[in-house]
Each structure stands twice: as structure tokens, then as C-alpha cells.
């Protein structure tokens, strides 16, 4: 037991030294500044529905900020990032597919969550309004870790009538979906479609992903999320 404690203490000390060196020269302040700029742009661009905020001009504004942010932190593999990626995240802005044409309804832009599990799968959970009818949507994806990306495939899409109440844990909903609690209401979804999702930047507060490939064309999509567990 003592040996394990010594090893753990040494690892923590080395991490602190590495982190201190990695963020030397005032880059930590710039990192925080960039994060705030990215979130401000993303929040200001968010529409009512997930499909309302897919503005190429917003993407053009975000990309150089994201690139600078990435340049200021040590390079890590997806395996190294995974402990931080695991958990519940609320989407702030995205130009990814699936939102539908602007004004058509669908997932509410302010109520889209992704819950990532360490066992190789995740659930996208959202409040939907389609033709005036409220429901919850659940889309499952599985992933395999590659060096600099996650290879993903969508495996299930289900729903549930009505909205959950404010303060409901997205993690709890994802766990229910995983054990089949909502299988009675299958919904249309990109089942079987494959692609990739790269965690371009992640820390304790914010997660920025780029995705696409395979069944999603030659372009890439950008996703800005913040760590949050409750609707």
C-alpha cells in the first residue's frame, strides 16, 4: 500500500511540474481568454433549434480561435483525453448534421446533451419539439479509440413522450436508455452510419470536437460543449 501511495504521489508531482512548464509564459491567461471568446460567440449564435445555428460565418469565426487554443496545450492522444471526456456535456453550438432545416423544429438547441461512458459508447439526449409535440430523443453511438480520433457508429435511436423536468440528470436518462427503458418508442435516426469524432480540445470546463468522415461526407463539423449534467 505504501509503495502505491509513493508512486501516486510521484505521478502527481510530475504532472504538476509538466503542467506548470506547459503553460509557462502567460499562455494560461490566453487559454482562458480564448475559451471565453469561443463560448461567447457560440452562445450568441445559438438558435431556438439545433438546426438554426449552423451558420458558416460562425464556424469561420470559431475555427482560428480553436486552432490557437489547441496550439497552447500539450499534444495528447484520445486515450489520454478520455478520462476528461467521460461524463455529461451540454452542447452550446454545432454545425453538425441532424438538426434539420432551419425553422423545422426538432431538438432544442439549449437542451442537447452528450453523455460519454468509459466503456466505449455515448448517448446524445435532447428535448425535441416536432409539429408542436414535445418528446425526449435518445441517440446511441459506440466508439473505438484511434490515436487522434474516435471511430464512431450509431447503434440505436429511441424516444420518450413529453419533456423531463428541469434539473433532471442527463446521466440518469442515458443509463435508462442503455438498459432499454425507452425501446418501446423507436425513432428515425442515422442507425449504422459511421464516422469519426475528434476531441480537439478538452479540459474540466469545455470540450470542442471536430467530426465527420465516412458516411458524413468529406467536410468536418465543429461542436462546442460545456461540462454540465442537468437539464
Amino acid at each position: 500500500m505504501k509503495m502505491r501511495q509513493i508512486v501516486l504521489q510521484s505521478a502527481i508531482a510530475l504532472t504538476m511540474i509538466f503542467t506548470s512548464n506547459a503553460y509557462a509564459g502567460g499562455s494560461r491567461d490566453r487559454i482562458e481568454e480564448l475559451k471565453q471568446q469561443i463560448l461567447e460567440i457560440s452562445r450568441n449564435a445559438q438558435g431556438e433549434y439545433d438546426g438554426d445555428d449552423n451558420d458558416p460565418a460562425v464556424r469561420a469565426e470559431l475555427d482560428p480561435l480553436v486552432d490557437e487554443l489547441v496550439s497552447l496545450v500539450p499534444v495528447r492522444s484520445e486515450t489520454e483525453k478520455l478520462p476528461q471526456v467521460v461524463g455529461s456535456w451540454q452542447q452550446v453550438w454545432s454545425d453538425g448534421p441532424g438538426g434539420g432545416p432551419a425553422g423545422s423544429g426538432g431538438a432544442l438547441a439549449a437542451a442537447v446533451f452528450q453523455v460519454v461512458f468509459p466503456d466505449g459508447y455515448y448517448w446524445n439526449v435532447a428535448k425535441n419539439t416536432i409539429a408542436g409535440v414535445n418528446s425526449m430523443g435518445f441517440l446511441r453511438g459506440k466508439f473505438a479509440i484511434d490515436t487522434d480520433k474516435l471511430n464512431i457508429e450509431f447503434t440505436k435511436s429511441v424516444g420518450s413522450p413529453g419533456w423531463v423536468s428541469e434539473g433532471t440528470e442527463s446521466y440518469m436518462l442515458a443509463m435508462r436508455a442503455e438498459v432499454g427503458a425507452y425501446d418501446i418508442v423507436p425513432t428515425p435516426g442515422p442507425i449504422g452510419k459511421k464516422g469519426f469524432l475528434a476531441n480537439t480540445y478538452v479540459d474540466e470546463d469545455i470540450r470542442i470536437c471536430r467530426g465527420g468522415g465516412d458516411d458524413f461526407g468529406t467536410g468536418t463539423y465543429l461542436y462546442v460543449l460545456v461540462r454540465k449534467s442537468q437539464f
Side-chain angles (χ1 to χ4, degrees):
M1 180 63 71
K2 288 184 178 180
M3 180 59 70
R4 291 180 64 183
Q5 290 176 339
I6 291 171
V7 172
L8 178 60
Q9 290 171 353
S10 299
I12 293 173
L14 286 171
T15 300
M16 291 176 65
I17 293 171
F18 176 75
T19 302
S20 177
N21 291 337
Y23 295 111
S27 62
R28 184 178 295 278
D29 290 341
R30 181 56 179 161
I31 287 170
E32 292 304 315
E33 182 180 2
L34 286 166
K35 286 165 56 177
Q36 293 307 312
Q37 289 178 354
I38 290 167
L39 287 177
E40 181 178 2
I41 293 168
S42 299
R43 286 173 174 143
N44 288 340
Q46 187 183 78
E48 181 180 4
Y49 295 101
D50 187 27
D52 292 345
D53 56 7
N54 299 348
D55 188 343
V58 177
R59 174 69 184 271
E61 191 174 2
L62 288 172
D63 271 337
L65 299 176
V66 173
D67 290 341
E68 183 182 353
L69 179 61
V70 172
S71 75
L72 295 175
V73 299
V75 175
R76 294 188 293 164
S77 68
E78 285 290 347
T79 299
E80 292 170 318
K81 294 174 184 176
L82 187 60
Q84 284 185 313
V85 172
V86 167
S88 297
W89 300 89
Q90 183 181 26
Q91 181 176 291
V92 182
W93 186 88
S94 144
D95 61 354
S104 68
L108 298 183
V112 176
F113 285 74
Q114 185 173 91
V115 185
V116 183
F117 293 85
D119 305 315
Y121 68 94
Y122 62 90
W123 281 92
N124 294 335
V125 184
K127 289 182 176 179
N128 297 328
T129 296
I130 301 174
V133 178
N134 297 336
S135 65
M136 298 298 299
F138 303 88
L139 177 62
R140 186 185 190 273
K142 67 177 183 178
F143 65 84
I145 299 176
D146 204 339
T147 303
D148 58 355
K149 65 182 183 299
L150 304 178
N151 295 317
I152 64 169
E153 179 181 355
F154 292 110
T155 60
K156 183 185 286 189
S157 181
V158 293
S160 177
W163 285 349
V164 295
S165 58
E166 186 176 351
T168 299
E169 289 283 346
S170 57
Y171 178 84
M172 179 187 68
L173 296 173
M175 286 291 293
R176 289 178 180 173
E178 182 64 17
V179 299
Y182 309 115
D183 285 2
I184 194 172
V185 187
T187 58
I191 308 305
K193 285 195 172 183
K194 298 179 180 180
F196 76 87
L197 190 66
N199 290 290
T200 307
Y201 178 89
V202 61
D203 63 20
E204 292 305 313
D205 308 311
I206 188 173
R207 177 175 163 226
I208 302 170
C209 306
R210 288 186 170 116
D214 293 340
D215 296 320
F216 297 96
T218 58
T220 60
Y221 305 101
L222 185 71
Y223 304 85
V224 178
L225 308 98
V226 292
R227 194 181 296 277
K228 185 178 178 182
S229 63
Q230 297 180 335
F231 277 89

